[in-house]
């Protein structure tokens, strides 16, 4: 009976040693898993912080781009208004040019007619000068005749 108890005690001691070893191994594994969990938790926290920073940066970039877009839209609207004004001004200038071209053509026609008239008047003037010269000659001749007759 004592041998049986001794055997049972030995078995229990061996089981206790095995359980203690298993317990130590499980504690070690738990400690490793706990460390991995802490590491992964920190990694997740770091990743979330990084994602949050990136998200904030993206929001700022989007906000800046929207502001820039507003400025560009305003600039485009101003340029379109300027373009419309310039088109109206161009149309007005074309109308004025057309009127000026018509006036120029009229003035050129009037000038050509005036030149033609001047030519005719010069010719008439020249003829009249010739006639005056002839008449003066005749008058001079008659003066001589009158003087001789006296």
């Amino acid at each position: 009976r004592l041998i049986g108890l001794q055997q049972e005690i030995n078995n229990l001691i061996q089981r206790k040693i095995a359980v203690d070893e298993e317990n130590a191994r499980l504690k070690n594994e738990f400690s490793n898993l706990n460390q991995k969990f802490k590491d992964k938790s920190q990694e997740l926290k770091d990743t979330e912080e990084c994602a949050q920073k990136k998200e904030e940066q993206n929001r700022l970039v989007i906000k800046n781009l929207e502001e820039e877009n507003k400025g560009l839209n305003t600039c485009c609207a101003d340029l379109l208004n300027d373009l419309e004004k310039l088109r109206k001004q161009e149309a007005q200038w074309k109308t004025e040019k057309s009127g000026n071209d018509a006036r120029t053509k009229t003035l050129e026609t009037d000038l050509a007619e005036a030149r033609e008239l001047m030519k005719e008047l010069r010719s008439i003037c020249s003829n009249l000068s010739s006639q005056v010269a002839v008449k003066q000659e005749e008058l001079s001749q008659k003066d001589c005749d009158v003087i001789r007759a006296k």
Side-chain angles (χ1 to χ4, degrees):
R1 175 151 158 67
L2 195 58
I3 293 178
L5 284 174
Q6 188 65 40
Q7 186 68 33
E8 199 176 321
I9 289 172
N10 284 342
N11 285 343
L12 287 173
I13 289 173
Q14 280 183 346
R15 269 182 56 205
K16 182 186 181 309
I17 291 171
V19 166
D20 286 346
E21 286 174 358
E22 179 68 16
N23 204 8
R25 188 187 65 75
L26 287 173
K27 277 184 181 179
N28 192 27
E29 190 177 329
F30 175 76
S31 177
N32 289 339
L33 288 172
N34 202 24
Q35 188 58 46
K36 283 182 182 178
F37 174 74
K38 285 179 182 175
D39 292 346
K40 290 293 179 183
S41 292
Q42 186 60 45
E43 189 179 323
L44 177 62
K45 184 179 174 185
D46 293 345
T47 302
E48 285 173 345
E49 285 176 5
C50 184
Q52 209 170 12
K53 285 178 185 175
K54 285 280 187 193
E55 196 174 311
E56 186 60 33
Q57 285 175 346
N58 286 342
R59 271 193 229 111
L60 285 173
V61 167
I62 289 169
K63 184 180 177 186
N64 289 338
L65 288 174
E66 286 172 347
E67 289 297 319
E68 186 177 345
N69 195 29
K70 280 182 190 175
L72 290 173
N73 284 338
T74 301
C75 186
C76 282
D78 291 344
L79 288 172
L80 286 172
N81 286 336
D82 290 348
L83 179 62
E84 188 59 32
K85 286 176 188 172
L86 288 172
R87 284 184 176 156
K88 286 179 183 176
Q89 194 174 33
E90 177 189 25
Q92 182 183 350
W93 286 348
K94 282 183 178 178
T95 303
E96 288 175 9
K97 184 183 182 300
S98 175
N100 289 339
D101 288 348
R103 275 192 297 257
T104 301
K105 194 166 183 91
T106 301
L107 290 172
E108 286 173 348
T109 303
D110 291 349
L111 181 62
E113 288 173 1
R115 283 184 177 150
E116 196 59 39
L117 183 60
M118 286 285 290
K119 215 177 188 185
E120 289 174 22
L121 290 175
R122 279 189 185 129
S123 176
I124 290 170
C125 196
S126 177
N127 286 338
L128 288 174
S129 288
S130 295
Q131 286 177 13
V132 165
V134 168
K135 293 291 179 186
Q136 279 180 336
E137 184 64 34
E138 287 175 6
L139 184 62
S140 192
Q141 189 63 41
K142 287 193 182 199
D143 278 346
C144 283
D145 288 348
V146 167
I147 291 173
R148 260 188 248 144
K150 281 186 183 179

